[in-house]
Amino acid sequence: MKFKDIVNRDIVNLENCEDEAIHIPGLIQPQGFLLSINNKSKIVNVCSENIGSFLGIDYKSILGQEIDKFFKFNILGHLNELNQGSPGQKITFSEECFGSSFAFTIHESGDNIVFEGEKSLVGPDKEAGLYNSSKKLLSYIEDTNNLKDLCNSVAIAIKDITDYDRVMIYKFDKEYNGEVYAESKENHLEPFLGLHYPHTDIPRQARELYTKNLLRIIGDVKYQPVKLYTYAESKLETLNLSLSVLRSVSPIHLQYLENMGVGATLTVSLIHKGKLWGLIACHHYSPKYLSQEVRNSVKLHGHFITSQIDVRILNEQYEVSGQVNKHVDSLVSHDLAFDRSSIKKMFQHDSIYRLSNSDGVAALIGGDFYFRGLVPERHIVERYSEVLKENSDYPHMVAISDMPRIYNQKSEDFTMFPGALFHVLDSENYIIWFRVPTVQTITWAGDPKKSIEKDKNGLSPRKSFESYVQNVKDTSKPWLIPEINAAQKFKVFLQNLVRSIITNEDKERQRILSEHLKAVNTELDNISWISTHDLQEPLRKIRMMASVLLENKEKYNVSEILVNRIGRMAKSAERMQTLVKNILQYNQTNTALEKFEEINSYNLMLEVQEEIKDNLLDHEATLHIDKKLPKIYGIPFLLRQCLLNVINNSLKFKNNKRDVVIEIFNDLEDEKSDLYSVIALKDNGIGFDKEHNEKIFKIFGRLHSVSEYEGTGIGLAFCKKIMLKHNGLIRAEGIKDVGATIRLYFPKTK
Amino acid sequence: MNKYSVFYIEDDEDDMLIFEDALLSIPEYNEQSVKLYICENGYNFLKFIEKDEAENKIVFLDINMPAKSGFDYLRELRTDQNLKNLPVVTYSTSYDRNFINKSRELGANYYAIKPSKFGDLTKLISKAIRIDFDRETAPPNDFIFNLLVQ
């Protein structure tokens, strides 16, 4: 029979350790032996080279043989138990063989069953120890409040049980950067508590193994790995040791441990909701092995921690929640006036940023910039708001802890404050809480400068820290739910306060405005007076004098040229007079306070038609009045004036190439016809350019020169005013050379 | 003895001049039949009317006057036993509704808007002296004197 080892000889170094196939090294640690059998044939297909030193038989004599030939105990019974259990399960048992007591661990690996045997190590009073430690565990539930305290207690307990020099509990963040969360150690050792490690310290595939194989032990960092052998006919190339206890670990990892001066380790995975939450890492500064029982006890402690995570996190959140809410309460309990001084007052308390455990807060409210604590400069705060507003979902808030990573391609402004908790108050106002980078807030238990750095070329905690800093650069501590909630709570309060302030300010503004308006109205009345009398008077006289001369040409010897000039003069004075008269009318619309009546607009239209029939005849104009004109509410004399003005406009701007036809109809097609009764007056005159749709309603907004078309430019402005008085509106639509359509909109309800 | 006396109470010299010109141009005018009194104020007017003996009298009363307005005079006139039936036409540039209504309330016979054309004014005066105020009272819509002339 031919034999060969299955050692994986790929070279591993720091550059490629991310890809190292650590689950199939083909090597084990020397503190035990390993053999594997084909699950069907029960023939041994892998055996460690060192089996002789434990059992006194050569691996060559076992390979290729059925396993029960070698062991006296009922090996098949254990196999049955394994096969009946759930996949991935491990079974441990102790059996006497070849004169010694061994602790066996068996598990499935592909088609194979892997047997690992270690000499049983029994502590002097293990039973009592385990009992005591279990009892202690229960007491921790009562004695500790938060997760950290609990982890601390557990670390102390594990140190007690195992006698490792240092017991640490690591906790990973969501990117698997690690932090030493709790620690118990020999006094002379330097503390690692609070040290941070980058996720690269534990490569991905190692993490995967941690989730499968919950306990790993390295008895002696300087161990000589033992090769695994198979026989040629087995066709076996590799043996997956993912679940193996004795699996030889990555040389990179051993180097790392050696750099720290560590002699032996025990690692227990802390799995929470299927993810690697943390590790219990025990370090000893000389070789150290543990009995199965003690290992199991450590595992139990691990389970205990993970079972408590949810509860403790809730507890912690509750604690945080209590803290931050205290800040919110202290802010909102102030007696605040509804003016801007209140906002200023609030920004004088540190609570305003401590309520979300942030480092500072800034807000833009009503054009004023408020801040407290550490915040970026105003223009940078505004950049935050611009960027975050775009990306905020309902209800307009964003909690982000890595601004620079996400948005720095746009600008470099965000590195100082990677954490931002952004709340929109309304369309213009907002508040942002800021956090500085995590690196600045890391607490070091010891002096980081004294941290171990034995090998300049290898890994060490010190180097790890630098690397960690790189990893967490541009991030801040993540925003916790209670912090976000507290901010939310405060935001709602602030929002209401701001609204009240704005309402108050509006009221005040309105008061000033209405006073102003009163003054203006009084002034306007005076102007009306002036326009009726003082302005009319001289104009009338000019015309009168002119007419005296024109009507008595012979008597006063007035020449033809004078007649012409005086005629023009009189005409100008007349125009001015009309203008003044119209202005007066326009202003009187304001003061008309008549009550609205129900009006049949068809009848009203007929009345208007009757009133101007001579004028229509002169212009050879026809009105087509739709019988279905709507019922409207309004002041008849004003509406008559409005309709007259619109029709007069059509007559004035008629197209000389054709007779005037004005269609007057109930426009049910109009987009606003759901809310308004719409009376449309459509003519076939000269029309106007679209761009003037608005302009023609401006007072004195004439589109044509006086010589082209007479008019004071008040007509349509007057109409607009009348429609406003009716809570309606007027719109014009023109097509040059085709005609104009004026639409009058009356609200359907009174 | 003249048949008709026209009293024009007015403070504005231009208007006085024009009114006089217009009166002189009406077809009915001759020195015997029509006499014009132009009064700068109420005091003058009272002096004139006391002495006047014409059968028919008519007053054109300007409203806007300093110190005492046309309305003030009108009120006084209508409380005066001798003058309360005197035909009075309030006469103003203004077409303000308030003026018109107030004139009617205070007992004017008509309200006339000062015309802008000489011809209109002559027609207005001509009409005024042809009206028999005892028999013709202004119907509500025709309170505006100008409307009677057109």
Side-chain angles (χ1 to χ4, degrees), chain A residues 200-213:
Chain A
T200 48
D201 269 20
I202 305 170
R204 177 190 47 79
Q205 75 278 34
R207 279 201 301 271
E208 273 168 25
L209 283 187
Y210 278 136
T211 59
K212 287 181 190 154
N213 191 352

Side-chain angles (χ1 to χ4, degrees), chain A residues 529 531-533 536-537 539-541 543-545 547-548 551-552 555-556 574 577 580-582 584 588, chain B residues 12 14-15 17-18 21 25 64 91-97 99 114-122:
Chain A
W529 178 255
S531 58
T532 21
H533 302 281
Q536 290 279 1
E537 202 61 24
L539 290 168
R540 187 180 54 79
K541 281 182 193 165
R543 292 182 61 199
M544 180 57 84
M545 297 304 182
S547 87
V548 168
E551 286 172 32
N552 301 289
K555 184 174 167 192
Y556 297 111
E574 189 185 349
Q577 229 181 340
V580 169
K581 218 182 272 182
N582 286 350
L584 188 70
Q588 276 172 344
Chain B
D12 187 299
D14 292 339
D15 278 334
L17 187 72
I18 290 165
D21 269 4
S25 325
N64 289 303
Y91 186 54
S92 170
T93 316
S94 173
Y95 36 82
D96 189 330
R97 274 274 147 210
F99 274 31
K114 289 181 181 174
S116 302
K117 283 186 182 160
F118 190 71
D120 291 345
L121 183 54
T122 50

